[in-house]
Amino acid sequence: MFFNGFLDFSNFLSLFFFNGWSFLETSSTCHGINSQIIWFSTLNSSTMVARTVDLRSDTVTKPTETMRAAMATAEVDDDVLGADPTAFRLESEVAKITGKEAGLFVSSGTMGNLISVLVHCDIRGSEVILGDNSHIHIYENGGISTIGGVHPRPVKNNEDGTMDIDSIEVAIRDPRGELVFPTTKLICLENSHAKCLSAEYTDRVGELAKKHGLKLHIDGARIFNASVALGVPVQRLVQAADSVSVCLSKGLGAPVGSVIVGSKSFITKARRLRKTLGGGMRQVGFICAAAFVALKENVEKLDGDHKKAKELAEGLNQIKGLKVDIAAVETNIIYVDIVEGSKITAEKLYKNLEEHGVLVMPKGLSRMRIVLHHQISSSDVHYTLSCFQQAFSGMHQENGSYSISTSRDVSYS
């Protein structure tokens, strides 16, 4: 008999010894039912990973069996020729959800944003106003500049993800200075990037854009998360936008892809640019089939992801040495800071967590990002909390084995 890492039992506490392994069970609560987590290590103090809880991003999800079945049976044709029925079904569905005329499947959010910016900024040397912490500006390899010749004009992102309306307006170039300045053509927002942008705020930016003859693009990396968190339909959140890049491989858990939406004329131009960038993928319906399943099955799971994220954030914030801004946890993303003066370093914490199968994303010297997704269970949340607790409390040797210190009260419920 071999124990596969982590066992979950109820209503008793006991210590076992089996073939040189020591097991110690500790209590937790899952969905209101008392359960116990069995921890174990070898008697010679070596570490064994009990399970893997991947919290690096919501992009790490694996295709579900339903997705795999849909891929295996998908009806396909040549999408470059505009003939793939499964791709067309997905594109039409996303366009309907967002209230736009048409959609186009692309391989990634980065490609979707790049194509959208290039359609709107069709003259080299054009300028786009965007947040200084936005993905397009920071994390997309400078594609709008290197490929499109588009100049970024960053405006400071506030803590809530917005840019001040006045600051946006000040950043718009005066057309009378076109001899020396780039020409402003576009404003970009991101919804959400941990924080959710309200429909009212987006409307104000849209009104500003129209006032100055500009276009508005929304990087909808986690637009469905924002919709669920705010209780506002996606269509309303993007109503003011001329184009939206809707990522399906993050919160919704599709294996690949985004859909960009806008007017029919916008999508016609976008399709040509997709081909230029190498994004014409022929029988792409195989991938679109899995994305369609994600769209239909996983939106309703987002609220659960958000609740588990809040539970995890509250538990982490109770651990001495960690700090989480609970109010900032609106969706499935948590930022955790190691308090200055803590005895544990970030490097040591990451290593300790990894040894126990908990993977997080470093964000600087003393900050980490944790992202939940539909394949993270309540049990995974409890396990993660206890691993963090262990890292800060230390390991206490008992009878030749190691047990988790529970001297500080951390709520797992």
Side-chain angles (χ1 to χ4, degrees):
M1 180 178 182
F2 181 74
F3 287 88
N4 185 21
F6 170 88
L7 299 180
D8 209 8
F9 294 92
S10 49
N11 302 322
F12 69 94
L13 175 67
S14 57
L15 183 67
F16 297 93
F17 294 93
F18 178 77
N19 285 350
W21 297 94
S22 65
F23 299 81
L24 180 65
E25 188 174 327
T26 60
S27 297
S28 67
T29 303
C30 178
H31 293 303
I33 301 174
N34 290 330
S35 61
Q36 282 72 42
I37 300 173
I38 291 193
W39 303 87
F40 53 86
S41 65
T42 58
L43 294 177
N44 63 6
S45 304
S46 64
T47 301
M48 178 176 178
V49 175
R51 67 203 290 176
T52 298
V53 182
D54 196 338
L55 300 169
R56 293 171 298 168
S57 178
D58 45 9
T59 62
V60 303
T61 56
K62 305 300 187 293
T64 64
E65 290 304 313
T66 308
M67 291 179 187
R68 294 178 187 274
M71 293 172 73
T73 59
E75 183 183 359
V76 298
D77 204 325
D78 193 328
D79 186 54
V80 176
L81 302 179
D84 191 297
T86 305
F88 180 76
R89 182 176 66 149
L90 176 66
E91 292 163 349
S92 299
E93 184 66 18
V94 177
K96 179 182 177 182
I97 290 171
T98 56
K100 305 304 179 186
E101 290 182 352
L104 179 69
F105 182 82
V106 294
S107 63
S108 67
T110 296
M111 178 179 278
N113 287 329
L114 177 58
I115 290 173
S116 298
V117 171
L118 298 191
V119 170
H120 294 307
C121 300
D122 54 354
I123 299 175
R124 293 183 68 84
S126 298
E127 187 169 75
V128 55
I129 296 172
L130 71 183
D132 67 342
N133 194 37
S134 65
H135 268 76
I136 295 176
H137 184 51
I138 303 294
Y139 299 107
E140 298 186 355
N141 205 232
I144 62 172
S145 298
T146 57
I147 295 175
V150 177
H151 187 261
R153 174 85 150 159
V155 171
K156 179 178 173 55
N157 278 121
N158 299 315
E159 288 297 319
D160 62 1
T162 64
M163 297 177 283
D164 290 337
I165 300 295
D166 291 344
S167 297
I168 296 175
E169 187 158 29
V170 168
I172 298 172
R173 303 289 186 177
D174 188 334
R176 293 172 295 182
E178 63 180 359
L179 181 64
V180 291
F181 298 139
T183 300
T184 307
K185 300 277 282 188
L186 177 67
I187 301 172
C188 289
L189 299 176
E190 183 173 350
N191 201 10
S192 70
H193 185 33
K195 302 289 285 184
C196 304
L197 302 183
S198 69
E200 291 74 20
Y201 171 78
T202 305
D203 288 346
R204 292 179 64 198
V205 177
E207 290 167 2
L208 179 65
K210 288 181 179 179
K211 174 183 174 182
H212 291 274
L214 310 179
K215 299 294 185 180
L216 173 62
H217 172 71
I218 294 179
D219 174 2
R222 295 180 175 87
I223 192 67
F224 286 96
N225 289 89
S227 171
V228 170
L230 296 172
V232 177
V234 170
Q235 179 174 344
R236 179 66 187 90
L237 291 179
V238 302
Q239 182 175 301
D242 296 285
S243 62
V244 188
S245 176
V246 180
C247 187
L248 302 174
S249 65
K250 291 187 173 72
L252 297 190
V256 178
S258 292
V259 173
I260 52 178
V261 294
S263 67
K264 291 180 180 178
S265 62
F266 170 86
I267 293 300
T268 296
K269 296 174 182 177
R271 188 178 294 277
R272 290 185 63 197
L273 275 169
R274 186 186 70 171
K275 178 65 173 175
T276 303
L277 295 172
M281 295 179 285
R282 304 300 178 184
Q283 287 75 36
V284 74
F286 289 117
I287 301 173
C288 292
F292 194 84
V293 171
L295 191 64
K296 289 299 183 181
E297 294 189 355
N298 291 344
V299 173
E300 63 185 24
K301 299 177 184 178
L302 295 178
D303 185 57
D305 296 343
H306 299 172
K307 289 177 179 177
K308 287 193 282 279
K310 183 73 78 171
E311 177 186 2
L312 179 56
E314 290 172 347
L316 291 172
N317 199 46
Q318 293 181 44
I319 297 176
K320 186 176 181 180
L322 293 178
K323 181 176 177 58
V324 179
D325 182 357
I326 302 298
V329 182
E330 294 182 348
T331 58
N332 60 329
I333 300 176
I334 308 168
Y335 286 98
V336 185
D337 292 301
I338 300 174
V339 177
E340 187 176 353
S342 296
K343 295 181 180 179
I344 191 169
T345 63
E347 182 179 1
K348 184 176 181 181
L349 177 59
Y350 297 140
K351 183 177 179 181
N352 185 290
L353 293 172
E354 186 175 11
E355 287 175 349
H356 290 84
V358 176
L359 308 179
V360 299
M361 182 75 75
K363 299 288 288 185
L365 296 177
S366 60
R367 168 170 276 208
M368 68 192 73
R369 189 187 77 164
I370 292 173
V371 185
L372 280 78
H373 49 81
H374 74 98
Q375 291 175 338
I376 296 297
S377 66
S378 292
S379 176
D380 291 329
V381 170
H382 305 155
Y383 178 78
T384 299
L385 279 171
S386 52
C387 287
F388 270 95
Q389 173 74 22
Q390 171 200 310
F392 279 86
S393 299
M395 303 287 280
H396 299 292
Q397 191 166 5
E398 295 181 359
N399 301 323
S401 65
Y402 287 92
S403 66
I404 308 291
S405 170
T406 57
S407 59
R408 279 195 291 272
D409 179 30
V410 180
S411 174
Y412 297 153
S413 60

